[in-house]
Amino acid sequence: MAQEDVFKKIVSHCKEYGFVFPSSDIYDGLGAVYDYGQNGVELKNNIKQYWWQSMVLLHENIVGLDSAIFMHPTVWKASGHVDAFNDPLIDNRDSKKRYRADVLIEDQIAKYDEKINKEVAKAAKRFGEAFDEAQFRATNARVLEHQAKRDALHERYAQAMNAMDLAELKQIILDEEIVCPISGTRNWTDVRQFNLMFKTEVGSTAEGASTIYLRPETAQGIFVNYLNVQKTGRMKLPFGIAQIGKAFRNEIVARQFIFRMREFEQMEMQFFVKPGTEMEWFRRWKETRMKWHQALGFGAENYRFHDHEKLAHYANAACDIEFRMPFGFKEVEGIHSRTDFDLKQHEKYSGRSIKYFDPETNESYTPYDIETSIGVDRMFLTVMCHSYAEEQLEGGETRVVLRLPAALAPVKLAVMPLVKKDGLPEKAREIIDELKFHFNCKYDEKDSIGKRYRRQDAIGTPYCVTVDHDSLTDGCVTLRDRDTMTQERVPISSLRGLLEDKVSITSLLKKLC
Ligand code: GAP
């Protein structure tokens, strides 16, 4: 199945099974805003718990924070967001549609890549086993022609973006003959800068309302609380502050479902270190974060680091962790060495001294910062994309199964009486009443056992137990494993011991130590 079709299926599966709904669905939705349903919220909470515990429980020197979404407007002046948190946008005069100029050009680069890949796929089919892909790519005239055009475009685009040369971005769009996907025309406006922050007003007009912003990242809440936490927690460098919270960006091009949203959630950790040690910590956090991802068992080959060539003015190193989504390798997390830029800026704009007194050297200095920043929603998408599977079973039947890591699954155990009578429902409820304090259990008595298994497979429930007539006398149930579909008879009294370790976040955390 084409990857595009797989992605469409994942999106509709998310809606059909209560994971993700379009926001304000009965009003036909709101662009790039989504709600999490009964299963989605559980999965999302488990992802957040995995991240939070890996930071705050496993590191003695990392503490948590929950700062407000609204902040003093000067925060965003100091951080540079008021002046520089922009995307270059362009309108098509015929369709009246607005696009990100950089995205139009990146799509054009991707088209050259597609052409090359098509040539390679055709040749691979023609030559079979004997096909030498590297040699073909290095020598085939058509591939070389596409590659040369692609590289020249990439080079020109990178230069224009580095210099934020808006006229040149427009010229590239014209020279490449990029058309509007809706109108099919090249009737483009000039490229303009568009600030991504949402504005609102605080206070009534009579008192003199002031403009404030919905935070576009949670990080600044950490920087402005650096002194509070360091002093009240008597924190010594190196130490970190972790936070999970909503962020808002008025994305011009919002697409690929929950990949790029206007309201989303971030899990960010700022790790403050002594200047001069930041590169070593940057390296360590890259490793630590990759380990966190890979502990989920999605396969090392599906992740890669992408080191930034162009660094933001405040960074001296930056890297993304990318995951192989159905639409290609995409950024899930950013790791940035942000130097002392943010604390120094807040020092300058607030007039407060934000320094660390180092008792070992008797010096005061502004700490450097390593940031790890991951989107909860993007992580959710990663988990969904990797877990969704359609399987052909013996006898020609198919099943849709979410192979979620058990620790992240919304429901850990479904308890099913074989029939709705003879005391079996009561026995099933007894089991749930015993286990519900330890993990999320669901009772299910509707339809045949086969249908109930399929329903649980579709939401990723790792285990089901069936209570039958023998259970009333032998105290045993049938335990069914989602992935292998094998069934075994086990004592009811052993269920907690058998399952708790496998389905708890602790099982993931242990892989990190
Ligand atoms: N404080 C640094 C920062 O915000 P970023 O690369 O802009 O850096 C970090 O964002 C992470 O937040 C991204 O790797 C991504 O997972 C998530 N993210 C950013 N914009 C997003 C959006 N519009 N929708 C969903 N997730 C987003």
Side-chain angles (χ1 to χ4, degrees):
M1 201 189 310
Q3 289 299 293
E4 244 171 58
D5 296 333
V6 173
F7 190 58
K8 279 189 194 147
K9 286 195 171 191
I10 292 168
V11 175
S12 57
H13 190 86
C14 280
K15 181 162 185 197
E16 191 180 342
Y17 286 93
F19 284 91
V20 183
F21 306 126
S23 156
S24 326
D25 203 10
I26 57 170
Y27 292 97
D28 297 331
L30 177 68
V33 186
Y34 291 90
D35 297 338
Y36 286 83
Q38 66 279 15
N39 290 316
V41 66
E42 296 289 345
L43 171 54
K44 202 178 179 211
N45 282 342
N46 291 336
I47 291 171
K48 290 195 269 186
Q49 213 187 332
Y50 174 38
W51 183 87
W52 186 264
Q53 296 191 359
S54 75
M55 288 292 176
V56 175
L57 290 194
L58 299 193
H59 296 95
E60 265 179 41
N61 58 351
I62 298 182
V63 292
L65 178 78
D66 184 14
S67 70
I69 287 170
F70 293 150
M71 298 174 78
H72 193 287
T74 311
V75 168
W76 305 110
K77 188 76 192 154
S79 67
H81 285 82
V82 171
D83 297 320
F85 195 51
N86 299 320
D87 275 344
L89 70 82
I90 189 165
D91 293 289
N92 181 270
R93 290 195 187 93
D94 299 320
S95 66
K96 311 269 180 277
K97 289 278 172 204
R98 181 162 285 178
Y99 299 92
R100 264 175 64 177
D102 55 333
V103 172
L104 287 178
I105 299 170
E106 277 170 15
D107 285 352
Q108 182 72 2
I109 294 172
K111 276 188 190 150
Y112 286 118
D113 287 333
E114 253 168 56
K115 283 182 188 167
I116 295 168
N117 290 339
K118 265 193 192 147
E119 294 291 343
V120 173
K122 257 195 312 188
K125 209 166 170 190
R126 197 159 8 112
F127 293 116
E129 297 257 304
F131 182 57
D132 181 341
E133 184 177 328
Q135 199 195 352
F136 182 78
R137 281 180 184 270
T139 54
N140 179 270
R142 265 197 303 270
V143 168
L144 290 176
E145 190 189 328
H146 293 316
Q147 190 68 47
K149 284 186 185 164
R150 184 222 179 267
D151 291 346
L153 173 58
H154 183 266
E155 176 65 25
R156 197 176 162 197
Y157 164 64
Q159 280 182 14
M161 285 299 283
N162 276 341
M164 252 313 147
D165 184 341
L166 303 183
E168 173 67 353
L169 286 175
K170 177 171 180 185
Q171 199 53 50
I172 295 175
I173 289 170
L174 296 178
D175 292 350
E176 287 289 322
E177 303 187 343
I178 296 173
V179 296
C180 164
I182 308 288
S183 66
T185 71
R186 283 179 243 149
N187 192 5
W188 297 110
T189 62
D190 286 341
V191 177
R192 301 187 304 285
Q193 290 286 30
F194 176 78
N195 194 285
L196 297 184
M197 283 197 294
F198 285 102
K199 279 184 196 165
T200 188
E201 305 226 306
V202 70
S204 74
T205 321
E207 288 166 16
S210 62
T211 300
I212 58 166
Y213 301 95
L214 297 190
R215 66 181 179 200
E217 61 171 12
T218 59
Q220 297 303 322
I222 297 180
F223 294 126
V224 300
N225 275 293
Y226 164 83
L227 274 184
N228 286 336
V229 175
Q230 193 270 320
K231 290 207 175 341
T232 58
R234 303 161 68 88
M235 308 300 290
K236 287 208 165 60
L237 288 190
F239 75 91
I241 304 178
Q243 164 156 247
I244 300 179
K246 288 267 182 167
F248 305 83
R249 295 182 190 178
N250 196 2
E251 300 281 0
I252 306 162
V253 182
R255 56 180 184 181
Q256 278 143 348
F257 191 39
I258 53 173
F259 183 79
R260 196 174 299 287
M261 303 160 86
R262 297 203 166 101
E263 173 181 340
F264 57 101
E265 229 173 332
Q266 289 185 315
M267 306 188 281
E268 297 200 299
M269 195 278 299
Q270 310 299 328
F271 197 72
F272 299 104
V273 303
K274 187 174 178 176
T277 65
E278 73 275 12
M279 284 307 164
E280 173 55 16
W281 283 110
F282 176 69
R283 189 192 60 73
R284 282 208 216 174
W285 276 109
K286 270 174 72 172
E287 225 171 70
T288 306
R289 293 303 305 145
M290 187 57 105
K291 206 168 168 191
W292 183 90
H293 285 276
Q294 294 191 356
L296 291 168
F298 295 167
E301 70 284 4
N302 290 317
Y303 296 91
R304 68 181 187 196
F305 285 119
H306 169 238
D307 291 315
H308 289 202
E309 292 155 36
K310 180 191 176 235
L311 294 175
H313 58 284
Y314 54 77
N316 61 4
C319 159
D320 296 334
I321 292 179
E322 295 184 339
F323 180 76
R324 195 200 299 267
M325 302 273 192
F327 42 90
F329 269 100
K330 294 287 167 194
E331 173 192 343
V332 181
E333 172 156 7
I335 298 152
H336 313 122
S337 173
R338 290 179 76 130
T339 66
D340 54 1
F341 174 82
D342 298 274
L343 292 183
K344 278 231 167 104
Q345 283 294 99
H346 289 304
E347 193 165 44
K348 180 170 145 198
Y349 278 80
S350 68
R352 298 275 298 275
S353 163
I354 309 181
K355 294 269 190 293
Y356 175 76
F357 175 74
D358 191 330
E360 279 168 24
T361 59
N362 277 338
E363 292 170 285
S364 285
Y365 50 79
T366 310
Y368 270 42
D369 168 53
I370 307 297
E371 167 183 78
T372 72
S373 174
I374 171 171
V376 180
D377 312 87
R378 237 175 242 190
M379 188 58 209
F380 185 108
L381 190 58
T382 299
V383 172
M384 274 297 187
C385 289
H386 190 270
S387 303
Y388 180 90
E390 286 178 20
E391 287 179 357
Q392 205 71 41
L393 304 178
E394 278 170 28
E397 217 195 321
T398 53
R399 73 161 180 163
V400 172
V401 56
L402 278 188
R403 293 179 175 278
L404 298 172
L408 300 186
V411 177
K412 312 300 186 192
L413 178 72
V415 184
M416 309 168 170
L418 191 59
V419 289
K420 282 191 252 179
K421 56 182 185 181
D422 304 336
L424 302 192
E426 290 76 7
K427 190 74 191 165
R429 293 238 181 250
E430 228 178 74
I431 296 173
I432 290 186
D433 283 344
E434 172 74 24
L435 295 178
K436 69 184 175 193
F437 299 100
H438 309 289
F439 42 82
N440 195 349
C441 305
K442 278 278 173 294
Y443 176 79
D444 192 359
E445 62 171 26
K446 201 164 167 283
D447 300 322
S448 69
I449 284 290
K451 275 195 182 156
R452 283 182 257 174
Y453 283 158
R454 290 291 165 273
R455 254 198 317 266
Q456 295 301 328
D457 287 344
I459 64 164
T461 306
Y463 299 102
C464 294
V465 297
T466 306
V467 178
D468 56 27
H469 290 93
D470 290 340
S471 306
L472 302 179
T473 49
D474 69 4
C476 291
V477 284
T478 305
L479 177 67
R480 183 235 190 210
D481 180 291
R482 175 196 69 197
D483 296 338
T484 59
M485 291 191 288
T486 51
Q487 304 187 6
E488 58 175 326
R489 197 87 186 146
V490 300
I492 294 169
S493 57
S494 71
L495 280 173
R496 183 178 163 197
L498 279 175
L499 303 188
E500 195 170 19
D501 213 33
K502 292 187 187 145
V503 302
S504 74
I505 298 286
T506 316
S507 63
L508 289 176
L509 295 177
K510 280 183 181 162
K511 294 188 192 170
L512 304 180
C513 295

